[in-house]
């Protein structure tokens, strides 16, 4: 009985994977139609797996612009809060070229068809 339960679980997982793949294929966007809504930055010194994934899938990363003035919306009826920050060292904070969706696309394209 336990073996049947395991088989049913694997079958259900395969069905879920197929649904995700189908949804991804239906919603593929042209590169110019993508939106990078964040948070999509990463810190290479801390996120070693992210660096490895970017290399593995042949993607590119670039420095996150992070100097100058910022305004933070504090909510309805509240005044915005303003900040000024210095530039981080080059390579300290990065983004994936094409947004994180590029990484999702690269990974999902490697999921074997069943």
């Amino acid at each position: 009985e336990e073996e049947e339960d395991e088989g049913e679980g694997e079958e259900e997982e395969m069905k879920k994977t197929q649904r995700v793949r189908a949804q991804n294929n239906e919603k593929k966007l042209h590169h110019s139609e993508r939106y990078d809504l964040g948070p999509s930055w990463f810190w290479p010194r801390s996120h070693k797996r992210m660096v490895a994934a970017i290399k593995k899938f042949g993607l590119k990363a670039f420095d996150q612009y992070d100097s100058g003035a910022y305004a933070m919306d504090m909510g309805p009826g509240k005044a915005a809060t303003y900040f000024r920050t210095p530039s981080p060292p080059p390579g300290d904070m990065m983004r994936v070229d094409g947004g994180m969706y590029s990484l999702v696309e690269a990974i999902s394209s490697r999921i074997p068809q069943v």
Side-chain angles (χ1 to χ4, degrees):
E1 190 177 320
E2 280 185 33
E3 287 180 27
E4 280 183 20
D5 289 344
E6 284 182 28
E8 288 175 15
E10 288 177 17
E11 186 176 325
E12 186 59 34
E13 283 301 312
M14 283 186 1
K15 287 179 183 177
K16 286 179 187 176
T17 300
Q18 289 172 337
R19 284 193 299 268
V20 168
R21 184 182 299 113
Q23 290 170 355
N24 185 48
N25 288 337
E26 289 173 12
K27 295 178 182 178
K28 280 195 175 180
L29 299 173
H30 185 273
H31 185 74
S32 65
E33 296 173 332
R34 293 183 185 171
Y35 298 93
D36 186 359
L37 301 176
S40 58
W41 51 89
F42 65 98
W43 290 262
R45 285 182 274 157
S46 301
H47 301 132
K48 303 292 185 194
R49 288 190 210 164
M50 179 63 101
V51 173
I54 289 167
K55 286 181 184 176
K56 178 178 181 172
F57 295 109
L59 301 173
K60 295 182 179 173
F62 60 91
D63 284 330
Q64 166 64 43
Y65 178 77
D66 191 34
S67 63
Y70 295 86
M72 181 182 291
D73 183 353
M74 302 307 286
K78 296 181 181 175
T81 301
Y82 296 92
F83 303 92
R84 184 168 272 303
T85 61
S87 294
D92 188 52
M93 187 168 36
M94 307 285 289
R95 291 179 85 104
V96 178
D97 189 23
M100 286 297 178
Y101 188 76
S102 295
L103 183 58
V104 171
E105 245 183 355
I107 292 169
S108 67
S109 71
R110 301 271 179 109
I111 297 172
Q113 298 289 327
V114 181

